[in-house]
Amino acid sequence: MLSEDKSREFHFTDQDFELVRQVIYKKAGISLADSKKQMVYSRLARRLRAQGLTSFQAYLEQLQRNPNSPEWEEFTNALTTNLTSFFREAHHFDLLKEQLSKTAKDGHQVNIWCNAASTGEEPYTLAMTLMEHFQSLTPNARILASDLDTQVLNKGRTGVYAQEKLEKLSADRMRRFFLRGSGAHVGEARVRPELQALITFRQLNLLDASWPIRGPFDAIFCRNVMIYFDKPTQRRILEKFVPLLRKDGLLYVGHSEHLGHVSDLFVPRGKTVYGLKGEV
């Protein structure tokens, strides 16, 4: 049993936590470990305050009574982890350039899907990578950026970042790809409109029965997403990736994710990069 913290503002029992786990698993496929109890409390406590409720039991009952309530979106957003940065796991973007050198022929539009796009750093990194590879601010390419969390998607659409988010970018990339803020916006920078023009941001739940997107994609970036799902859920999602990838397309996953349990679908093509089984 998990211990109860008597000093908390709201009563939060093991039964409350277990119900949260069941609900978020059914809604978003996220499997919450026992160690996430404090995180769940701190994030959902804000929703109790916003709703003027005094107990988790009342909050969860309210959710379940109203299946179409906009609070479902707030509940899901609260329990979604969004850790990201520009050029995170940088070797992937070098590998993408190598991939495009081999596969992107004249007249071919490069299509990339970045799911779990969070606040936009990853899709904008992909846009910068494409521009560098093709040596153009208007490459023949499109990026679909999706996420479950609508709040972070809105942040990504704006393309405005605090200076500390940009500290690891080279001076050359800052000059080429960002517009520095002035006046009230000192300490911030906005991505160039050419980067925004390459990207379509869209809310998408990977657990949905069907996805309103069409391939084929040259690359699918699904990094540090599978760690939140159990193995059966991972397989269901990965099976749906298969027809969306080009035959020579690649799936990029996070540094701690391994797809050995779906070796009938994907085979290694590099460090945390996978290709379709049976394709070279």
Side-chain angles (χ1 to χ4, degrees):
M1 293 287 286
L2 301 169
S3 61
E4 172 74 10
D5 185 346
K6 304 298 184 183
S7 66
R8 285 174 171 159
E9 177 183 359
F10 303 105
H11 191 53
F12 188 47
T13 66
D14 290 336
Q15 290 73 24
D16 292 333
F17 179 55
E18 186 57 37
L19 184 54
V20 170
R21 292 169 75 168
Q22 293 172 13
V23 170
I24 195 61
Y25 180 81
K26 184 177 180 180
K27 183 73 174 177
I30 296 172
S31 297
L32 292 173
D34 289 349
S35 60
K36 299 297 184 181
K37 186 178 182 183
Q38 181 56 42
M39 180 213 62
V40 168
Y41 174 85
S42 62
R43 294 188 180 185
L44 291 185
R46 301 170 197 159
R47 300 310 312 153
L48 267 67
R49 297 185 197 105
Q51 293 291 306
L53 299 173
T54 58
S55 73
F56 276 81
Q57 181 179 353
Y59 177 71
L60 293 166
E61 288 176 353
Q62 177 179 284
L63 272 181
Q64 293 177 308
R65 281 198 309 269
N66 300 284
N68 297 317
S69 169
E71 183 59 27
W72 277 105
E73 185 172 296
E74 299 292 345
F75 169 79
T76 305
N77 288 350
L79 296 179
T80 305
T81 300
N82 296 287
L83 297 175
T84 187
S85 61
F86 290 101
F87 288 93
R88 185 183 186 191
E89 299 181 48
H91 72 282
H92 277 164
F93 304 102
D94 294 330
L95 285 171
L96 178 62
K97 289 179 180 179
E98 291 180 17
Q99 176 192 354
L100 296 178
S101 294
K102 299 173 183 176
T103 62
K105 308 303 181 184
D106 290 345
H108 169 68
Q109 178 177 285
V110 174
N111 292 307
I112 298 176
W113 178 16
C114 171
N115 56 60
S118 188
T119 46
E121 287 90 335
E122 185 170 296
Y124 286 124
T125 298
L126 288 167
M128 286 184 262
T129 301
L130 290 169
M131 290 177 178
E132 289 174 347
H133 176 72
F134 291 107
Q135 299 181 12
S136 169
L137 288 175
T138 56
N140 186 16
R142 296 296 301 168
I143 298 167
L144 172 63
S146 68
D147 201 284
L148 178 64
D149 188 330
T150 54
Q151 293 174 356
V152 296
L153 283 173
N154 288 334
K155 168 69 176 174
R157 285 189 188 97
T158 67
V160 177
Y161 298 94
Q163 190 62 45
E164 56 264 27
K165 285 279 192 177
L166 308 170
E167 289 175 348
K168 294 183 179 179
L169 292 175
S170 68
D172 182 54
R173 280 177 171 155
M174 283 297 301
R175 178 184 57 79
R176 284 190 290 162
F177 299 125
F178 289 85
L179 304 171
R180 292 185 182 275
S182 60
H185 297 285
V186 167
E188 295 180 331
R190 181 188 295 273
V191 298
R192 288 183 61 111
E194 291 90 345
L195 275 81
Q196 290 176 300
L198 288 182
I199 303 170
T200 299
F201 287 91
R202 182 180 297 174
Q203 196 272 347
L204 187 142
N205 187 342
L206 289 174
L207 285 198
D208 286 347
S210 62
W211 298 334
I213 58 176
R214 290 187 301 173
F217 293 100
D218 296 86
I220 296 177
F221 275 65
C222 187
R223 306 192 307 167
N224 306 305
V225 178
M226 292 298 155
I227 55 175
Y228 297 105
F229 301 135
D230 59 19
K231 288 293 194 290
T233 304
Q234 290 178 16
R235 169 168 276 277
R236 288 197 299 272
I237 293 169
L238 290 164
E239 284 176 341
K240 290 169 71 174
F241 283 167
V242 170
L244 292 175
L245 263 181
R246 284 169 51 98
K247 289 185 177 182
D248 54 2
L250 294 177
L251 171 63
Y252 294 74
V253 302
H255 68 279
S256 62
E257 297 172 314
H258 304 282
L259 305 187
H261 61 296
V262 289
S263 58
D264 58 316
L265 303 176
F266 291 97
V267 293
R269 293 280 186 261
K271 184 180 179 183
T272 55
V273 177
Y274 292 81
L276 293 172
K277 175 78 170 182
E279 303 295 339
V280 179

